Amino acid sequence: MKAEDRAPDRYDPAAVEEKWQRRWREERTFEVRADGTGEPYYVLEMFPYPSGRIHMGHVRNYSIGDVIARHRRLCGHRVLHPIGWDAFGLPAENAAIQHGEPPATWTADNIAHMRRQLERLGLSYDWSRELATCDRRYYRWEQHFFLEMLARDLAYRKRSQVNWCGSCGTVLANEQVVDGRCWRCDSVVEQRDLEQWFLRITAYADELLRDLDRLHGWPERVLTMQRNWIGRSVGAEIRFELDGRPGAIDVFTTRPDTLFGATFVSLAPGHPLAAELCHGTPAEARLAALRATVARGDAGDDAKEGFATGASCRHPLTGAQLPVMVANFVLMGYGTGAVMAVPAHDQRDFEFAQTCGLPIRVVIQPADGELDGATMGGAWEGPGRLVGSGDFDGLDDETAKERITQALADCGAGRAAVSYRLRDWGISRQRYWGAPIPVVYCAACGVQPVPREDLPVLLPEAVRLTGAGGSPLATLESFVETTCPACGGPARRESDTMDTFVESSWYFLRFVSPWDDRVPFDPGELSFWLGRRGVDQYIGGIEHAVLHLLYARFFTKVLRDLGYTELGEPFRNLLTQGMVTKDGAKMSKSKGNVVDPDYLIERYGADTARLFCLFASPPERDLDWNDQGVQGMSRFLHRLWRLAHDVAPRLAAPGTPRPPAPAEADDTLHRFTHRTIRRVTVDVADRLHFNTAIAAIMELVGAIETGAGTASGAALREALDATLLLIAPFVPHVANELWERTGHATSLEAAGWPTWDDAALVEPEVEIPVQVNGRVRGRVRVPSGASEADVVAAALGDENVRAHVEAKTMVKQILVPGRLLNLVVR
Ligand code: ANZ
Ligand code: ZN
């Protein structure tokens, strides 16, 4: 034993933790390659943004992942447990603007600090796979994938209305706008017209939706959020010819059954026809005004505003003349940007019709009602039978949907259609600290991809960041000026960078071979760790339910179709952990209620910090910070330490079998040990209920304390070894130390996860209620597995039972073994 390996006899978390962390580092304990024995298991926590310091949310997230990783290793799995840095993004750039420090330096410093913090938590990462997305070796492949997507029309450029956050000075994807505000800084988002790069996620809408049904290991809540976000609607597209001029308005509706109730048609303010129809008319000014309110995002949810264009169109089946309106609640980005308005059966249309004095026609009559357009107080959106609908009268709404759609198809005025809420993913960001988009613009040849051999397009480091609007790279002539790969003439580089969510969409794949510069994913490592399975367990916050988790699913499918993998879904099992709160509020800098993990580690040690995060609440629930709770965990580890040292002299040598005729104290402890092994195994392996697992181990510690004086050395050995093995995933440092100190020559890891003996779970005696004619008259204790005759004999030994059967005739005896005896008498 080396001198520094000898920690003092009092529990000193700092010394113990340093010793084991050094050993794991020196022995590269957690480095794995795709070879050797053991079934592969890939556990991953959502990688952090290197903001500077870790917070309690990280500690919780990574502790959960580490328990799973360490438990699986003990079970004999070959475990891949990597970590990296989601290193591009706005804060680095803002820090640079404020303090003049280059984003690359700021980021590298933060990573160094946070890496040290993670190491101090004793997390069992394979550090040889550490990656940072701002590393050219990483984003080079991202640029490569972008070009492949470009070649397959999965990436494209278009001018469109985009979400603009003025305070972040950049465009946001739809997923990054929450209730009309920026997901990062909470400012109100405006609409701007910009040329942007998009990834065609809508080409995968159907598959993204369909495959949700296969994700049995995902929380129902996340599946629902994704389903709603993709928002598949089945209905019809219907054509309304314009009246007195060429052209037509196509609408998307989910209610073709209400076609005869359409009394006007509404266009989105941004619809090209709206501008065309209003051009040169008094409506032109109103259109401009309405567009402005929509662009500012203050078109309130309740105010249905709009106006008549003056133009009209024709009902496709009746030929009736219907006015064409513009309405603020019709969105350009959904369906066709136009709706057929059915005020009697759509509440928005109802309100709009009332403000504009437009007719309301009832065409669906509910089973028990007599709706009347003149008197109804709101739209009837429910089911019913058709009225006022010509040949379709009397049909129920579901049948009518099909029939009317068919009738429209027959006359060429419509067809069945599916619409998605999901929009293509706008990935251009007018910011510096991101992966350059690898294209150039040539006046003669247009958009040209950068040749593969010229990748990566390096992000230049010497950029002056001022915070003034516009893409910072655009001001750097040495970056922008280039030559066209096609004609050799002068060309300009794209100066926008990619959304950082692109990096996090595929990092879990790159972990299989982050060192490889020839291919993005080493085939052997890839098929071993991911194959068609995907990450076995992914852990992260619910806030990514649509953003990151949807993008990652999309990228996975694209990379599969590009031939890089065989994987259809990235994450087999997903655990969304709750927040860390203090006094009921989310821990956050702005609330000033942050507990610093460093303080916790210094004061109590990493094992205590981990144990608290895992014990105080089940992983999916919020965890409320509690000083007493932390102290309680610390006291428990001190208690465990003392107990191990107290019983150490009495322990039998490791592996000593139980004596053939054990004393009762031995048997009790033996049974308790095996019951605990089973409880903890079920909680950890199947349910991820770490809090109840820890509670069970605590009870076992209590049982060892009770049995310490009476149980044999073999029983104590069995119980203590099991305790240390079961608790090792939670508090690996102290568990390994005590393992070593209690006479084990081989490592705790080598011992493996304990298994229970079913025979030991059998209670030696059971209590059985005894019924006489169906009413409980007594209880007897009998050896478990006792025969019916024995149980009946015991029952008749009970005074009360005997009083109820005496002088009667026994008709029947029914024994439910181990549970109940029923005596039927007459
Ligand atoms: C006529 C109708 C009658 C409608 C009725 C509803 C009830 P989901 O379920 O979200 O897909 N709609 C279509 N495009 C729209 C747009 N760009 N902006 C705002 N509203 C739009 O909703 C589809 C329904 O929303 C469509 O069906 C259409 O109104 C409206 F009794 O058409 B409906
Ligand atoms: Zn050119």
Side-chain angles (χ1 to χ4, degrees), residues 440-446 448 483-491:
V440 304
Y441 301 97
C442 166
C445 315
Q448 287 295 323
T483 50
C484 170
C487 72

Side-chain angles (χ1 to χ4, degrees), residues 488-501:
R492 294 181 68 77
R493 274 189 203 286
E494 168 68 64
S495 56
D496 283 354
T497 53
M498 285 193 241
D499 183 357
T500 59
F501 276 93

